[in-house]
Amino acid sequence: MSFDVSNPVELSFSEIEKARARIQGFASLTPLLNFPVLDEHVNGRVYVKAENLQRTGSFKFRGAFNRLSLIPQADRAAGVVACSSGNHAQGVAAAAKILGFPAVIVMPEDAPALKIQRTKALGAQVILYDRERENREGIAKQICAERGATFIHPYNDSGVIVGQGTTGLEIAEQCEILGVTPDVLISCTGGGGLTSGIALALEELLPECQIYTAEPARFDDYARSLETGERVANSALSGSVCDAVLTEMPGEKGFSVLRRRGAKGLSVSDDEAMDAVAFAYFELKLVVEPGAAVALASVLSRKIDLAGKTAVLTISGGNVDPAVFERALTQYAAGEKTPA
Amino acid sequence: MSFDVSNPVELSFSEIEKARARIQGFASLTPLLNFPVLDEHVNGRVYVKAENLQRTGSFKFRGAFNRLSLIPQADRAAGVVACSSGNHAQGVAAAAKILGFPAVIVMPEDAPALKIQRTKALGAQVILYDRERENREGIAKQICAERGATFIHPYNDSGVIVGQGTTGLEIAEQCEILGVTPDVLISCTGGGGLTSGIALALEELLPECQIYTAEPARFDDYARSLETGERVANSALSGSVCDAVLTEMPGEKGFSVLRRRGAKGLSVSDDEAMDAVAFAYFELKLVVEPGAAVALASVLSRKIDLAGKTAVLTISGGNVDPAVFERALTQYAAGEKTPA
């Protein structure tokens, strides 16, 4: 997304601490969970940061609430505009509702029905567009120009990133309480807001922890960009069940953080993501959407060897349409795979 | 179940503390979760003790592991026998596997397929019986006599009850960390092992907290027994989707604790339980089985007014067959109800 991006704050650890103070009492402090069944599976120790249990069902509320809190009083009545296929939409809508702004969300017509419905239920005005024929940035720009509204980028915005970084603060503190020092952190990655936010927090608190991005196989722009050192784009814009983490290319800000931290990339097939959704149902008793299951999938399908290691992974959301969820369970139970 | 019951320990608070030391490192310390969407629904503050996230997918592992740990060394090789339609089966099987005993589980042929499969996967020998033509106690007694095995009652056993009571210890400590004092605790109740264990812990730690049992409507033996002061039986033994909490009548030990504590009873229809399963999917992102959703259902269907109050409720398990789960989601989405 090439929309002009504001830089309301520095991309720094101290801004993550300030963000935490802002979201406290509004965002949930989500649990860091351990499951013996998962530890046995990898022959190591795995902790799951369950952001599907966050308000609105994904981590996106953290960044949205922090970013909206930074809007000057004079600009608040004009409201906010966001483009999103779903989780950022709900995060912005919920934050706007709490803070008392109007919110307009530009969503693709083919966004999951559940996400459209939930965004509307949060009081936002939803404008649907046709991915093939219309330009969402054009629509968003026009609304911003007409109303004087503030555009809220889903990930390439420092206010959003430090908000997502509160997840990393919590992870580090929860690890300390448990008395564990993670060797690796694996996070579901689309534009990179969550993963870079966590990386920024851990740079200060757990500097030895190796960061991994987890992505769908044909949308592994972060993996390839981190390898080459330059931001590269995906060849496709759609065509994966992992809708929550499909972006054109890494966000500039997120990439700069993850490159500096020496992050590495993992990727999984759609089938592996769907199997992880089913594993989470049968074994973890968590509702996870496919795009938010890619980090878990990378562990279950042994894209990384965790034997003897301690890992933290994110489950970043749980807003999954029942039809997709049922398909995941059916495929898994039958042991059948659709072509990858 | 009239099978002879052993009393390996006192039914006391100090035994719950000992049980906690025994299960530590084996059972999970499950989170106490808060969801703004649920608070808004009841106009109060609700905390969810998520025992579906416990090892084996239900609280039953706590009591089973504690009880099996109390078996004298000389009797261990002969193993254990349990009768269960599913969650106690998995709890006993997992505990026996960890402690190195053989386990035989007597399960009804019509137990949920997922529960039979998971019990076998934990290494237990499963013997299926016909509810109509066979007597499970007779089968269990015969195996115990032949092998010298120890029978593990699902709830009318003080070693099991104080094990389940560790849930109450955790709730009280988690409430203290959060700085909240619950007015009421609502717990899913079958034979009463979990609820009486929690009540025993809270008697010491949160003595002002009003305890409520939650049950399916036609299996509200605790509600009726607590009202009359005497243990009364249900007229039916089966016929509810809430398989996890269907018992003939309150356990003697559990009832004695809950009567002393002045507990009261709530009940919900099968449809209300199924709606709570769907609510947990859509809004809480938790996988909950119908019998373990009755406490949540009692809150959602306003069987108790929580306006301005602070409540803790248990979600006691998540071992639900996909077909039942899908039916819950479909009914909820359609707003249709099957006859109660």
Side-chain angles (χ1 to χ4, degrees):
Chain A
M1 203 172 290
S2 61
F3 210 94
D4 291 330
V5 166
S6 66
N7 289 300
V9 295
E10 288 287 304
L11 210 49
S12 68
F13 180 76
S14 67
E15 286 297 337
I16 297 177
E17 290 183 310
K18 287 184 204 163
R20 189 194 5 211
R22 288 187 200 103
I23 69 171
Q24 196 147 25
F26 299 101
S28 299
L29 198 171
T30 56
L32 187 70
L33 302 168
N34 175 251
F35 298 93
V37 66
L38 189 52
D39 288 356
E40 285 158 21
H41 196 90
V42 304
N43 197 25
R45 196 93 172 142
V46 181
Y47 293 91
V48 174
K49 184 62 172 171
E51 280 295 300
N52 55 331
L53 307 179
Q54 184 55 263
R55 189 193 277 254
T56 71
S58 92
F59 72 95
K60 291 285 191 181
F61 177 76
R62 296 175 185 264
F65 191 85
N66 185 58
R67 180 65 187 84
L68 266 61
S69 301
L70 293 165
I71 297 173
Q73 284 295 339
D75 297 339
R76 293 190 171 197
V80 291
V81 177
C83 301
S84 165
S85 68
N87 285 335
H88 178 57
Q90 290 172 68
V92 170
K97 190 180 177 190
I98 292 168
L99 293 166
F101 311 171
V104 178
I105 314 288
V106 184
M107 300 182 79
E109 281 174 350
D110 63 352
L114 183 71
K115 290 179 174 174
I116 296 174
Q117 177 198 321
R118 288 171 62 92
T119 305
K120 288 181 179 170
L122 287 163
Q125 182 189 344
V126 172
I127 296 177
L128 298 176
Y129 74 97
D130 180 332
R131 278 187 204 257
E132 302 296 320
R133 298 188 303 109
E134 294 178 281
N135 179 286
R136 66 176 185 176
E137 289 175 41
I139 299 169
K141 264 189 176 167
Q142 195 187 332
I143 300 165
C144 286
E146 282 169 11
R147 307 190 184 184
T150 304
F151 180 72
I152 308 296
H153 195 283
Y155 50 84
N156 202 26
D157 179 304
S158 58
V160 169
I161 290 175
V162 299
Q164 320 302 25
T166 58
T167 314
L169 271 193
E170 291 175 12
I171 288 171
E173 292 172 356
Q174 289 167 320
C175 282
E176 196 180 350
I177 290 169
L178 291 166
V180 298
T181 305
D183 302 300
V184 302
L185 176 124
I186 309 166
S187 183
C188 305
T189 304
L194 176 63
T195 310
S196 64
I198 293 174
L200 202 57
L202 299 196
E203 185 171 38
E204 181 87 13
L205 300 173
L206 289 166
E208 302 300 315
C209 184
Q210 172 66 49
I211 310 288
Y212 286 90
T213 57
E215 296 169 300
R218 292 179 304 121
F219 299 86
D220 60 342
D221 48 309
Y222 258 103
R224 289 180 291 111
S225 300
L226 289 167
E227 185 141 343
T228 62
E230 304 242 334
R231 291 193 301 140
V232 294
N234 294 313
S235 53
L237 286 173
S238 63
S240 163
V241 72
C242 300
D243 63 277
V245 290
L246 306 185
T247 44
E248 197 181 342
M249 65 189 300
E252 200 182 327
K253 294 178 192 299
F255 182 69
S256 73
V257 172
L258 289 170
R259 193 185 170 195
R260 182 177 79 225
R261 294 289 329 273
K264 297 175 186 171
L266 302 171
S267 67
V268 298
S269 70
D270 271 17
D271 273 338
E272 288 165 340
M274 289 288 267
D275 278 355
V277 169
F279 182 90
Y281 168 87
F282 285 109
E283 303 295 344
L284 312 185
K285 312 303 177 190
L286 292 172
V287 176
V288 186
E289 60 185 288
V294 291
L296 176 62
S298 74
V299 167
L300 292 174
S301 63
R302 303 181 194 285
K303 299 294 187 283
I304 179 170
D305 180 11
L306 294 179
K309 295 204 170 150
T310 299
V312 172
L313 64 83
T314 62
I315 282 179
S316 50
N319 293 314
V320 49
D321 271 350
V324 173
F325 197 72
E326 289 167 21
R327 181 151 55 86
L329 304 193
T330 306
Q331 278 183 210
Y332 187 81
E336 289 165 8
K337 305 280 176 277
T338 51
Chain B
M1 200 172 292
S2 61
F3 210 94
D4 291 331
V5 166
S6 65
N7 289 301
V9 295
E10 289 286 305
L11 211 50
S12 68
F13 180 76
S14 68
E15 286 297 336
I16 297 177
E17 291 183 309
K18 287 185 205 164
R20 191 200 356 216
R22 287 187 201 105
I23 70 172
Q24 195 148 25
F26 299 102
S28 299
L29 198 169
T30 57
L32 187 69
L33 302 168
N34 175 251
F35 299 93
V37 66
L38 189 52
D39 287 357
E40 284 158 22
H41 196 91
V42 304
N43 197 25
R45 196 92 173 141
V46 180
Y47 293 91
V48 174
K49 183 63 172 171
E51 279 295 300
N52 55 331
L53 306 180
Q54 185 55 264
R55 189 192 277 256
T56 72
S58 92
F59 72 95
K60 292 283 191 181
F61 177 76
R62 296 175 185 265
F65 190 84
N66 185 58
R67 181 63 187 85
L68 266 61
S69 300
L70 293 165
I71 297 174
Q73 284 296 339
D75 297 338
R76 293 189 171 198
V80 291
V81 177
C83 300
S84 165
S85 69
N87 284 336
H88 178 57
Q90 290 172 68
V92 170
K97 191 181 178 189
I98 291 168
L99 293 166
F101 310 171
V104 177
I105 314 289
V106 183
M107 300 182 80
E109 281 173 350
D110 62 353
L114 183 71
K115 289 178 175 174
I116 295 174
Q117 178 198 321
R118 287 171 62 91
T119 304
K120 287 180 179 170
L122 286 164
Q125 183 189 345
V126 173
I127 296 176
L128 298 176
Y129 74 97
D130 180 333
R131 278 187 203 258
E132 300 297 321
R133 298 188 301 110
E134 293 179 281
N135 179 286
R136 66 176 183 176
E137 290 176 40
I139 298 169
K141 265 190 175 164
Q142 195 187 331
I143 300 166
C144 286
E146 283 170 10
R147 306 189 184 184
T150 305
F151 180 71
I152 309 296
H153 196 282
Y155 51 84
N156 202 27
D157 178 305
S158 57
V160 169
I161 290 175
V162 299
Q164 321 301 26
T166 59
T167 314
L169 271 193
E170 291 175 12
I171 288 171
E173 292 172 355
Q174 289 167 321
C175 282
E176 197 180 350
I177 290 169
L178 292 165
V180 297
T181 305
D183 302 300
V184 302
L185 176 124
I186 309 168
S187 184
C188 305
T189 304
L194 175 63
T195 310
S196 64
I198 293 173
L200 201 58
L202 299 197
E203 186 171 37
E204 181 86 13
L205 300 173
L206 289 165
E208 302 301 315
C209 184
Q210 172 67 49
I211 309 288
Y212 286 89
T213 57
E215 297 170 300
R218 292 179 301 122
F219 299 87
D220 60 342
D221 47 308
Y222 257 103
R224 290 181 289 111
S225 300
L226 289 165
E227 185 141 342
T228 61
E230 304 242 333
R231 291 192 301 141
V232 294
N234 294 313
S235 53
L237 287 173
S238 64
S240 163
V241 73
C242 300
D243 62 277
V245 291
L246 306 186
T247 43
E248 197 181 341
M249 65 188 302
E252 202 182 326
K253 294 177 193 299
F255 182 69
S256 72
V257 171
L258 290 170
R259 194 185 170 195
R260 182 177 79 225
R261 295 290 327 274
K264 295 175 186 172
L266 302 171
S267 67
V268 297
S269 70
D270 272 16
D271 272 339
E272 288 166 339
M274 290 287 268
D275 277 356
V277 170
F279 182 91
Y281 168 87
F282 285 109
E283 302 296 343
L284 313 186
K285 312 304 177 189
L286 292 173
V287 177
V288 186
E289 60 184 290
V294 292
L296 176 62
S298 74
V299 167
L300 292 173
S301 63
R302 302 180 196 287
K303 298 296 186 283
I304 178 169
D305 181 10
L306 295 179
K309 296 203 170 152
T310 299
V312 172
L313 63 81
T314 62
I315 281 179
S316 50
N319 294 313
V320 50
D321 272 349
V324 173
F325 197 71
E326 289 167 21
R327 181 151 55 85
L329 304 193
T330 306
Q331 278 183 209
Y332 187 82
E336 289 165 8
K337 305 280 178 278
T338 51

